[in-house]
Amino acid sequence: MIEVLRLDHVRIKDSHGNVLENFDFSINEGEVHGIIGDYGIAHSLLSLLCAGTLLPDSGEIYFYDQPLPCLSYTESRQKGIFLISEGKNLQGHMTALENIYLIARRKFGWKFCRHQIASMAQEYLDFFNTSLSLQERAENFSPLQSCIVSMTGALIAGAKLFILDEVTSSMNEQDAVAFQHILSCLKYKGLTVICMVHRIEELVRYTDRATLVKNGSTVRCIDKNDYSYDKMLAMLLI
């Protein structure tokens, strides 16, 4: 298996004195890996660490076995790392197509090739088996639709790793089932996904492995075959 991202003994202290300490995490190509628990810091900071746009106080971060330097937002995307946070990715006054172009524009330059972008976007929407109008404004999207638009732009731009910052927390049951299918499509294409979640039920539904975190430190990494609600809850609470 090809290791995509690894965090070794990472430590960082935020401005409020909260600490992520002795955090170990790794994810392989084509895997959906969940992270749950008390991170010690805000989940948004952990997302930035995984994206390479924030360096730890100590420890190492590797992307495809190469040390990951501190990257700008643009540099992170150029490496194929795309961070998607609920409600923070799209321009609400723009259409789905315009948002997809903004995400993937380095592929097209500054020329808005409407027909080319629409054709590529529609291929991915069909692949996801989802009906979404490219002319709909983003302000009208559900959490699932927003995520799909962000992912479509990222895929056109050459995404290798998705970091999903609690995007599943407000999905209804129908959207959750559809999102499971989308994750299966991403895995089929060999893409890698980190899911940061609040609930054990989300781990069971979406992920292949899970890293449990307590008081800012890694407790254990568990394979899907070993998932047990009671066991995971005990590890997180005791």
Side-chain angles (χ1 to χ4, degrees):
M1 291 185 290
I2 298 174
E3 186 179 71
V4 175
L5 184 73
R6 183 170 83 254
L7 281 70
D8 280 343
H9 304 298
V10 163
R11 183 186 191 278
I12 190 168
K13 187 175 183 179
D14 67 17
S15 58
H16 301 290
N18 302 311
V19 180
L20 176 76
E21 191 164 22
N22 198 31
F23 181 75
D24 294 309
F25 172 81
S26 68
I27 183 169
N28 298 318
E29 196 171 69
E31 177 186 13
V32 179
H33 194 126
I35 306 178
I36 190 173
D38 173 15
Y39 305 157
I41 57 173
H43 52 84
S44 57
L45 288 184
L46 181 55
S47 299
L48 295 177
L49 282 171
C50 292
T53 55
L54 179 67
L55 283 183
D57 299 328
S58 62
E60 299 292 338
I61 302 177
Y62 298 90
F63 185 62
Y64 285 98
D65 282 333
Q66 298 298 314
L68 198 62
C70 189
L71 305 172
S72 68
Y73 179 75
T74 300
E75 289 169 337
S76 179
R77 288 191 162 192
Q78 286 174 345
K79 283 186 173 291
I81 305 172
F82 283 80
L83 170 58
I84 300 177
S85 303
E86 184 180 10
K88 298 180 182 179
N89 306 287
L90 304 180
Q91 300 296 318
H93 65 287
M94 292 184 175
T95 65
L97 184 63
E98 291 165 343
N99 273 284
I100 289 169
Y101 164 71
L102 285 180
I103 296 169
R105 66 179 176 222
R106 72 182 182 89
K107 186 177 182 68
F108 304 100
W110 289 100
K111 186 177 181 181
F112 184 39
C113 308
R114 178 179 295 273
H115 295 298
Q116 183 184 6
I117 299 166
S119 176
M120 296 177 73
Q122 193 61 55
E123 284 184 16
Y124 281 111
L125 295 180
D126 292 343
F127 180 61
F128 290 148
N129 193 29
T130 185
S131 57
L132 188 153
S133 171
L134 291 172
Q135 304 311 315
E136 183 72 37
R137 293 191 182 276
E139 61 192 3
N140 299 321
F141 290 161
S142 68
L144 174 64
Q145 290 173 323
S146 295
C147 188
I148 290 172
V149 169
S150 297
M151 284 181 165
T152 299
L155 288 167
I156 293 173
K160 298 177 181 176
L161 171 65
F162 286 104
I163 302 166
L164 307 183
D165 182 5
E166 300 188 351
V167 300
T168 60
S169 59
S170 59
M171 289 185 187
N172 58 36
E173 179 62 24
Q174 181 178 355
D175 284 352
V177 172
F179 190 63
Q180 280 182 281
H181 173 72
I182 290 168
L183 291 177
S184 296
C185 292
L186 295 177
K187 288 169 60 178
Y188 176 80
K189 293 183 72 69
L191 295 161
T192 308
V193 183
I194 298 173
C195 282
M196 297 184 182
V197 300
H198 274 313
R199 302 188 302 272
I200 292 174
E201 292 88 342
E202 293 173 276
L203 292 180
V204 174
R205 182 189 287 271
Y206 300 119
T207 66
D208 304 310
R209 283 198 300 157
T211 293
L212 311 183
V213 188
K214 182 179 178 183
N215 298 327
S217 297
T218 301
V219 175
R220 188 176 171 186
C221 179
I222 300 179
D223 291 324
K224 192 177 188 72
N225 291 337
D226 295 327
Y227 279 5
S228 162
Y229 184 93
D230 292 338
K231 182 192 297 184
M232 288 191 281
L233 185 62
M235 289 180 183
L236 292 171
L237 293 179
I238 295 176

